[in-house]
Amino acid sequence: MIKKFIGKILRFSVIGLIPVLIFGGIYLYYDPFKVLYEYDSFYDSASKDVVNLNRDFLSTSTFIKNNPDEQYDSFILGSSRSIFYEVADWKPHLSPDAKCFHFDASGESLWALHKKVLFIDEQGNEIDNILLILDFDTLIQDQPKSGHLGVISPALVDNNNQFEFHKEFFTAFLNPKFLYAFMDYKITDEIKPYMRKGNLLDDRKRNYDPLTNEIRFEHYEELIEKGEYYTPERLAVFYDRDSKQTYLKPSIKENQKRMLNEIAAIVEKQNTKLRIVISPAYDQKKFNPEDLAFLNETFGTDSVFDFSGINEITQDYRNYYESAHYRPHVAKQIMDSIYKK
């Protein structure tokens, strides 16, 4: 009886392991999130990149790979809003030999941004310039994030989160909706409408520079120039705003103050030319005056520039791709403005 019972347990165990081995093998073979192996470039223009990648890991890995040769000294930091501050528009305001790098992350948190500044300093890089793109959403986040698109790169935390990091990605891979969409795409080589819903897959055309880690959506700009971008579907996201100026609640509390002060200390030690931009968000909510006062006191009024609230940028929906991201010409306008002062 006992032998039969043990035999049944072993058979069920083996049966239970089969799907784990199959899906594990698929995950190891495809590495859909590009976190298992090294890549010359995380975006391949010769093939379709359809899986949303963790920009924190991508940015950190690209920095680590290129920095020994490049010795970056000028950094653009922030959330996905910061990617539209193009290096070609920034460099005229810097020294001719500046080595620029986009060290961004999707939905960037102050907690992770702080880790990035410390990490760059620890590598021994000279930090001549920092362009720091901030908003309420970044500043309010003072703790580590979870989820495969939010978890921080292990290199930024002394590799202390390796297990958690890879667990997040394998768990995301096993999500039935993602797994079905991913395998459907691999079998058919076709992006279907349902795959774009819920950001299961992302086939947006993009241009990528692996040396600066810069992403550009030149295809969108071409569509705008042709008058084909702002379709009724895209216009639907531009909601009506309050005509009366409203203000955001405070986002800088004690933990945020500690991290911002540590960033300020590195800026002072490195004699860094710092510019902080408070983004012109489409919601037109004005940055909190108490938060602005702290940033001014910590970094200096000549380093902090607030473009939030109701103004000529935020009034025009054509300055935005959608309600979350403003376009490169706005970023250029901002850079031209803040480097004249």
Side-chain angles (χ1 to χ4, degrees), residues 12-25:
F12 280 120
S13 297
V14 170
I15 292 171
L17 280 174
I18 291 174
V20 174
L21 292 173
I22 291 173
F23 291 126

Side-chain angles (χ1 to χ4, degrees), residues 216-329:
R216 298 184 305 280
F217 292 96
E218 293 176 2
H219 176 63
Y220 285 172
E221 291 298 318
E222 291 170 3
L223 289 177
I224 291 171
E225 189 174 343
K226 294 176 183 177
E228 299 173 1
Y229 180 82
Y230 293 107
T231 61
E233 182 182 10
R234 287 195 172 111
L235 286 173
V237 305
F238 294 108
Y239 53 87
D240 293 332
R241 286 81 53 88
D242 196 330
S243 59
K244 182 180 179 181
Q245 184 64 74
T246 58
Y247 289 80
L248 290 162
K249 66 181 181 180
S251 59
I252 300 177
K253 300 177 183 178
E254 289 308 310
N255 203 28
Q256 282 90 344
K257 289 179 180 179
R258 176 187 62 79
M259 289 185 282
L260 289 166
N261 279 322
E262 289 181 6
I263 292 172
I266 290 175
V267 167
E268 183 176 4
K269 180 185 77 170
Q270 290 262 10
N271 195 27
T272 302
K273 187 176 182 180
L274 171 73
R275 293 291 185 271
I276 295 176
V277 172
I278 309 301
S279 280
Y282 177 77
D283 64 14
Q284 294 191 315
K285 293 180 180 178
K286 191 71 175 168
F287 194 60
N288 184 269
E290 294 176 18
D291 288 348
L292 183 60
F294 178 82
L295 292 178
N296 283 330
E297 181 182 352
T298 304
F299 297 101
T301 55
D302 56 345
S303 297
V304 181
F305 301 86
D306 180 13
F307 292 89
S308 67
I310 299 173
N311 56 54
E312 62 179 10
I313 294 175
T314 60
Q315 285 286 72
D316 190 347
Y317 74 84
R318 292 170 298 181
N319 287 326
Y320 300 83
Y321 288 124
E322 17 68 19
S323 59
H325 298 98
Y326 46 97
R327 293 169 53 200
H329 75 272

Side-chain angles (χ1 to χ4, degrees), residues 168-233:
E168 292 282 13
F169 285 97
F170 190 55
T171 301
F173 174 73
L174 293 177
N175 179 292
K177 290 183 178 179
F178 172 82
L179 187 57
Y180 181 85
F182 180 73
M183 295 310 299
D184 186 5
Y185 167 73
K186 284 298 181 182
I187 293 168
T188 64
D189 195 32
E190 179 185 351
I191 292 289
K192 300 172 183 177
Y194 84 88
M195 297 175 180
R196 297 186 179 96
K197 295 179 180 178
N199 292 319
L200 292 174
L201 299 180
D202 177 10
D203 65 336
R204 290 176 297 171
K205 294 180 181 179
R206 72 197 78 193
N207 306 83
Y208 178 65
D209 181 347
L211 282 184
T212 62
N213 193 39
E214 179 172 280
I215 294 176
R216 298 184 305 280
F217 292 96
E218 293 176 2
H219 176 63
Y220 285 172
E221 291 298 318
E222 291 170 3
L223 289 177
I224 291 171
E225 189 174 343
K226 294 176 183 177
E228 299 173 1
Y229 180 82
Y230 293 107
T231 61
E233 182 182 10

